[in-house]
């Protein structure tokens, strides 16, 4: 039995027997243990990848980790070449089919990554129409304000409500910096 069942599972079985639990109750306990273990593994991965996203220099590897932290799945392999192109200082034109991930992967997630790596800077969203651009900027704001992945990757970067967080613009601030010095840094951009 010990070869089939791990030590932690054996402890659960012994504890269930001591408590006089039925086999059905034991199955429920085992299912809960498995669910908890999967959640813990994903949480451990989230923490490890958020550290990589934060500490690696600006580039593809850092972005791949950041992407996973935000969306909890891997960046599509074909999109990695997009990121490689966009991470350079050269002009890039991307023409892809509808639904390929351009907006999610680049307009939203890559733009967030760029802001996180240079939070004093600005980005400009240009899309087919105002509604689409407003929707993208709203998603970006929601991620910064509420997503656990963002908060773990860049816990010091928070909305700057004093300068604006809405229709007139979304401003970040570094919560670990002196606010006056932060504003001065942003003004130099």
């Amino acid at each position: 039995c010990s070869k089939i069942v791990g030590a932690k599972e054996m402890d659960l079985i012994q504890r269930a027997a001591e408590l006089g639990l039925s086999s059905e109750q034991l199955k429920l306990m085992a299912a809960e243990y498995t669910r908890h273990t999967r959640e813990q593994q994903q949480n451990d991965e989230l923490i490890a990848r958020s550290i990589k996203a934060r500490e690696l220099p600006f580039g593809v590897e850092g972005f791949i980790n950041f992407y996973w932290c935000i969306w909890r799945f891997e960046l599509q392999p074909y999109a990695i070449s997009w990121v490689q192109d966009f991470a350079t200082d050269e002009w890039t034109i991307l023409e892809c089919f509808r639904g390929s991930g351009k907006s999610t992967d680049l307009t939203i997630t890559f733009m967030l990554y760029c802001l996180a790596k240079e939070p004093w800077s600005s980005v400009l969203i240009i899309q087919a129409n105002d509604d689409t651009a407003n929707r993208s900027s709203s998603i970006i704001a929601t991620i910064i304000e509420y997503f656990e992945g963002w908060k773990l990757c860049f816990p010091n970067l928070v909305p700057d409500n004093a300068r604006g967080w809405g229709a007139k613009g979304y401003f970040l601030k570094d919560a670990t910096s002196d606010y006056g010095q932060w504003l001065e840094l942003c003004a130099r951009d």
Side-chain angles (χ1 to χ4, degrees), residues 104-131:
T104 299
D105 298 346
L106 296 174
T107 304
I108 295 169
T109 316
F110 189 69
M111 191 170 301
L112 272 166
Y113 181 69
C114 292
L115 277 173
K117 288 300 188 173
E118 294 185 354
W120 58 86
S121 65
S122 303
V123 295
L124 174 65
I125 298 174
I126 300 174
Q127 290 190 286
N129 57 55
D130 287 348
D131 289 341

